[in-house]
Amino acid sequence: MPEGHSVHRLARQFADCFAGQALAVSSPQGRFAAGAAALDGAVLEGARAHGKQLFLDFAGDRVLRSHLGLYGAWSFGGTERFRGASSIGAPRRIGEREDDDDAPADGPLSVPPPVGAVRVRLVGEEGWADLRGPSLCVIETRAEADAARARLGPDPLDPAADPEPFLTALARSRRPVGALLMDQAVVAGIGNIFRAESLFRRGVDPAAPGRSLDPATAEALWAENVALMRTGVRLGRIVTTDPVDRPGIPEERAWPDHAHYAYGRTGLPCRRCGTPVAAAPLEARTLYWCPSCQR
């Protein structure tokens, strides 16, 4: 499932490439036909993200709110003047590509036929965006969208976020901290990778009840996710290991070949202490941790 950094990159791309334009909106798949008809021709006024949800604000008090879920992705294309990632979200084989080697020659926009089950297609002046496989895709008023956003926890990628609701939720809960980090009503945008890696980097046992964490540790866990997710936005991928200090090397090449300390490394030696990395299900998702480093 795409984590919060990907959705913030989506919001930035929509704002940069489509804001202020009247968009042609359609539903090639047909499952969003009525919603597409209601948005067709409307001006995109802005784009914002909160956690894993994307809010596209259209003129006329209309918001297209979407959640990519496990399999959703936005893909993009356009003239050679269109700049941005060609795909953001799942499936993993697509990833977030920044190249534009396949961009058509300079000239008028020519939109290709849709490929696959495209729920929504947005077409602007220089490019298009296709949404496939979302778990949520709805039109709401601004008030309805804001109410949905208010039900989410604070977003570590929001510069104005107040971490206090997150800290309070931890301090009051007997649930494992590993479960609380994945609860979008507690904190928005953290997925399985950021959960595993932030807990590892702070040496926190994922099974520890939230209320057992001292305030300094809880605050450090928030700060860790802020830092890791900001790096994900900059690089367009999740890298949670520390960069190699090599002067003159671009940031995207400053990390070692391995991207994670614990996530996906079941049975392999911990990169810090050598203890085999453990894995177990926790609320339907696989949790990874080092039994030694995270006592």
Side-chain angles (χ1 to χ4, degrees), residues 10 13-14 18 24-29 54 56 64 68 72-77 82 85-90 94 111-123 127-134:
L10 274 169
Q13 178 144 318
F14 273 104
F18 296 104
V25 185
S26 62
S27 179
Q29 180 192 55
L54 176 68
L56 299 181
L64 175 59
L68 294 178
W74 283 95
S75 58
F76 301 85
F82 184 85
S86 59
S87 179
I88 299 178
I94 293 179
V111 183
V115 176
V118 177
R119 184 78 56 87
V120 182
R121 166 169 279 190
L122 308 175
V123 181
W128 68 88
D130 286 347
L131 174 62
R132 298 177 179 85

Side-chain angles (χ1 to χ4, degrees), residues 2-58:
E3 303 198 25
H5 74 293
S6 291
V7 185
H8 278 265
R9 287 170 60 81
L10 274 169
R12 180 184 299 176
Q13 178 144 318
F14 273 104
D16 290 345
C17 299
F18 296 104
Q21 300 176 30
L23 303 183
V25 185
S26 62
S27 179
Q29 180 192 55
R31 291 183 58 185
F32 193 66
L39 292 176
D40 189 34
V43 173
L44 180 67
E45 296 181 330
R48 52 202 167 105
H50 191 94
K52 300 180 182 182
Q53 299 199 26
L54 176 68
F55 301 79
L56 299 181
D57 298 321
F58 286 85

Side-chain angles (χ1 to χ4, degrees), residues 213-295:
L213 273 62
D214 61 81
T217 299
E219 291 172 6
L221 195 56
W222 168 269
E224 191 70 61
N225 278 284
V226 170
L228 291 177
M229 295 175 75
R230 285 179 178 174
T231 298
V233 171
R234 288 198 309 273
L235 300 182
R237 58 194 178 100
I238 301 178
V239 180
T240 56
T241 51
D242 295 318
V244 178
D245 186 11
R246 291 184 291 179
I249 299 297
E251 183 184 22
E252 63 270 14
R253 295 171 53 197
W255 268 264
D257 292 338
H258 53 271
H260 308 308
Y261 286 115
Y263 178 81
R265 306 192 67 249
T266 309
L268 297 176
C270 171
R271 298 191 192 279
R272 287 183 175 172
C273 74
T275 301
V277 172
L282 178 62
E283 298 189 358
R285 299 298 299 275
T286 302
L287 176 67
Y288 304 90
W289 78 99
C290 172
S292 179
C293 294
Q294 296 173 253
R295 291 181 179 176

